[in-house]
Amino acid sequence: MTAKPAERAAELRAQLNHHAHLYYVLDQPALPDAEYDKLFQELQAIEAAHPELLTPDSPTQRVIGAVLPGLTPVHHVVPMLSITTETDTTEGGAIAFDARVRRELGLKEGDAPIDYNAELKFDGLAINLRYEAGVLVQAATRGDGETGEDVTHNVRTIGQIPLRLKGEVPAVLEVRGEVYMRRDAFEALNERQRSKGGKTFVNPRNTAAGAIRQLDSRQARDKPLSFYAYGLGEVQGWDLPTTQSGLLDALAAFGIPVNDLRTVASGTAGLVAFHQRVAEARDGLPFDIDGVVYKVNSRELQARLGFKTREPRWAVAHKYPAQEQVTTLLAIDVQVGRTGKLTPVARLEPVFVGGTTVSNATLHNVFEMRRKGVRVGDKVIIRRAGDVIPEVVGRVPGERPSYVPNFHMPRACPICKSEAAREKGSIEYRCTGGVFCPAQRKQAMLHFAGRRAMDIEGLGDKLVEQLVDAGIVLSLPGLYKLGVAKLAALDRMAEKSAQNIVDALEKSKTPTLARFLFSLGIRQVGETTAKDLARHFGTLDKLMNASVEQLLEVPDVGPIVAASIHTFFAQPHNREVVEQLLAAGVSPKESEGQGDDRPRPLLGKTLVLTGTLPTLSRDEAQALIEEAGGKVSGSVSKKTNYVIAGEEAGSKLEKARTLGVTVLDEEGLRALLVG
């Protein structure tokens, strides 16, 4: 028997609200999006056919597209008051607050410590949600504390905020909290704006506040917002919990989102520990905070403490050092990274931000600069969070005193004067100096000595740093001039260790051509491409003199890779480094080139290795496959020909079975290798 429209509508509303709570609040979706959409569309159809069944708490009422003539004033029955802020951002702020509360309560030394509910201080927009009989009837901004603005139409678009509360609810319940935007949502929003050529936003807080105060709710709907509750306004028909922590637990039971990173802290020690713990976790949080909040946990003690003017004596905001400040952009320089990447860097009027004085900040790349519209002389916003490199977020709107031209990236590397080039389709400029450029020296040496390159055992980070910083080795060929006496004179280097390194250098002089090519650190040339190049050309001389057209004949070498290889060997200083390496005794073994007629039973085949094989290591198995003409991939797809599985094979084996890819063990691999 078909349910009556009213019964079915009520049933659908209950199901949709339940699944919305699982999705938005608990982050535990139990229904695919397509199934949710079917239920949603069914409810829409019933409400369209029976308008009398439409209720304010219906899930269909979350998205409202009408443009309103203006925001209506809302009087707060219980004023939305602010709380005192501790100016001391160190642990002293927590100590001072606890001492003040104890003094107000007349407690003496030796009396039991006070319990506080310690919470996060969200960096968003304060909102008052009014529920009557459990149904959201109004949402308003703080305004001046007495009068705010009606933003119900926008708040309904926030999926986390329930339109109807769960359980036995008060006749009237005003919930206060913060509307904010997650960092990942903010980055995704800016990425969408960039792809459309639209304006980007400065920070999550301003973006969230601007979205809530729009007249058109479609503006809020397009900006993914979130909400956390932290307190109450007017309440009728409810015996409130006796503690602040109990109050937040009760709100969570009603289905209202409350942040889990809160605790009951005992006395000064508890507050200091919470402040430090959150400070350490701050940069890893998915949203911005600018401090923590301490509230006396007992509501009875809150009542005894009362208010001072318009601020509660029982609560305080304990902030962290500001992460954003305004200063002047004095100049723009270009920094060359260890991999040759050129990055524009802002030279700033020194400013204290994020707990330290900042005079330099990254501008990322010239295209990001254009989007932000920053030029020398501008007032700019600087952001520094934790150990993250300070960055220029944007310019402060205002007239420039005079015309300032746009910044342009240099055509030559500021360090070695090699050509600075931007690859097709890339936003990054790079120095083409490669192994020649001093800025890339350490990285080039470490890559050159790596296990998969020249495999020079003992030549690690600390030793390379000593050699370069002391001016002992200025280029790759200089490594082969090192002697035992010079190495043994370095810090923490015994004569035996020095001899081992000299021996390792000597041993490295006869690499395969593929390893030697990979060791040079040519942009876009990984291990597989190096092997393809060695196999195709056979000798280093043929490769160095190959044209772009000839390079394009190598399997899987496209225009970008071919251009990168050709540019590298076209640079006189790169050729000079190669020639000096050969003169130092490095002699790459010639590879079987185009004329090689050895059987290659795996030519054109793609294999994936997973698990532990009985007798072959992963590197040995890969080498055998590549010698037989095959390629080893890191992931399974429909184009995979074989998956070679050993013990403890994981998800790759399961995917191979799902896709119907042939699975072999080590014995099966050996059979393939002999054809």
Side-chain angles (χ1 to χ4, degrees), residues 12 16 43 53 94 102 127 186 192 214 248 302 351 376 397 412 423 480 485 499 554 636 639 642 645 669 675:
L12 288 169
L16 290 167
L43 179 58
L53 299 180
R102 293 179 65 82
I127 289 291
F186 176 72
R192 290 197 302 273
Q214 292 286 334
L248 295 178
Q302 288 183 11
V351 61
V376 173
E423 293 169 356
Y480 291 97
Q499 184 62 57
V554 181
V636 180
K639 295 181 179 180
Y642 302 101
L669 170 61

Side-chain angles (χ1 to χ4, degrees), residues 417-575:
K417 307 308 177 186
S418 300
E419 180 187 358
R422 179 168 68 93
E423 293 169 356
K424 187 177 181 181
S426 172
I427 61 173
E428 295 175 351
Y429 282 78
R430 289 185 178 274
C431 165
T432 59
V435 291
F436 168 77
C437 182
Q440 303 174 61
R441 198 170 284 156
K442 291 179 184 178
Q443 182 67 26
M445 287 183 191
L446 287 169
H447 178 79
F448 182 80
R451 186 169 61 86
R452 297 179 181 276
M454 299 293 276
D455 194 19
I456 306 172
E457 192 172 346
L459 196 62
D461 290 287
K462 291 182 179 177
L463 180 55
V464 165
E465 194 159 324
Q466 283 190 77
L467 293 171
V468 174
D469 290 348
I472 297 170
V473 177
L474 302 179
S475 65
L476 295 181
L479 290 169
Y480 291 97
K481 297 177 183 178
L482 288 171
V484 173
K486 191 171 286 187
L487 284 166
L490 296 172
D491 290 343
R492 300 179 184 178
M493 179 67 69
E495 189 169 330
K496 185 176 180 181
S497 300
Q499 184 62 57
N500 289 340
I501 291 169
V502 171
D503 292 343
L505 283 163
E506 189 64 31
K507 183 182 176 182
S508 74
K509 287 183 177 180
T510 54
T512 63
L513 177 56
R515 277 180 173 267
F516 181 72
L517 291 175
F518 178 61
S519 76
L520 295 177
I522 305 169
R523 181 93 175 132
Q524 306 286 353
V525 176
E527 287 181 84
T528 301
T529 301
K531 289 170 183 175
D532 289 342
L533 292 167
R535 187 178 298 126
H536 183 86
F537 289 102
T539 69
L540 178 60
D541 188 61
K542 286 181 181 177
L543 172 59
M544 289 177 66
N545 293 297
S547 65
V548 171
E549 290 73 20
Q550 290 171 321
L551 288 164
L552 286 169
E553 294 173 5
V554 181
D556 294 335
V557 170
I560 292 176
V561 178
S564 179
I565 298 166
H566 187 265
T567 299
F568 181 89
F569 287 117
Q571 296 283 348
H573 44 255
N574 287 338
R575 295 181 77 97

Side-chain angles (χ1 to χ4, degrees), residues 23 29 31-40:
Y23 184 92
L31 196 69
D33 288 350
E35 293 302 312
Y36 182 93
D37 290 343
K38 285 181 182 177
L39 298 177
F40 189 91

Side-chain angles (χ1 to χ4, degrees), residues 145-356:
E146 297 283 350
T147 304
E149 298 163 319
D150 190 326
V151 289
T152 312
H153 60 295
N154 288 327
V155 167
R156 285 182 181 277
T157 70
I158 302 173
Q160 275 189 315
I161 295 178
L163 301 181
R164 176 181 285 277
L165 302 180
K166 298 190 300 182
E168 294 186 14
V169 296
V172 173
L173 177 66
E174 287 190 348
V175 178
R176 286 172 179 174
E178 202 90 357
V179 169
Y180 67 95
M181 184 176 288
R182 289 173 57 99
R183 291 172 182 163
D184 54 1
F186 176 72
E187 293 300 329
L189 172 64
N190 267 348
E191 192 56 44
R192 290 197 302 273
Q193 289 295 107
R194 292 186 192 107
S195 66
K196 295 187 300 185
K199 75 160 190 173
T200 55
F201 299 93
V202 173
N203 59 47
R205 196 271 170 201
N206 290 356
T207 309
I212 284 296
R213 301 184 70 243
Q214 292 286 334
L215 297 179
D216 186 349
S217 63
R218 286 171 294 193
Q219 297 290 326
R221 180 190 61 199
D222 292 342
K223 297 179 179 65
L225 303 175
S226 300
F227 174 83
Y228 276 131
Y230 54 68
L232 297 177
E234 183 185 12
V235 178
Q236 295 179 21
W238 187 30
D239 291 330
L240 272 64
T242 59
T243 62
Q244 180 71 20
S245 57
L247 173 62
L248 295 178
D249 290 340
L251 292 180
F254 288 145
I256 297 167
V258 179
N259 187 260
D260 289 333
L261 195 56
R262 64 186 194 276
T263 190
V264 175
S266 180
T268 299
L271 295 182
V272 169
F274 182 76
H275 188 261
Q276 292 175 343
R277 186 166 67 252
V278 174
E280 292 169 2
R282 183 184 184 189
D283 295 331
L285 295 175
F287 44 78
D288 287 343
I289 63 171
D290 54 4
V292 292
V293 174
Y294 311 133
K295 298 175 182 175
V296 172
N297 199 36
S298 166
R299 295 190 61 254
E300 180 188 351
L301 292 182
Q302 288 183 11
R304 282 176 56 188
L305 288 163
F307 293 81
K308 179 182 179 181
T309 315
R310 297 174 59 82
E311 297 174 338
R313 288 189 173 94
W314 44 266
V316 74
H318 190 188
K319 289 196 172 185
Y320 295 113
Q323 292 183 304
E324 288 188 356
Q325 290 286 7
V326 173
T327 188
T328 303
L329 175 57
L330 302 177
I332 299 174
D333 295 339
V334 174
Q335 179 177 291
V336 184
R338 296 177 68 181
T339 61
K341 178 183 173 183
L342 271 59
T343 302
V345 175
R347 304 303 180 197
L348 308 163
E349 188 75 44
V351 61
F352 191 78
V353 56
T356 190

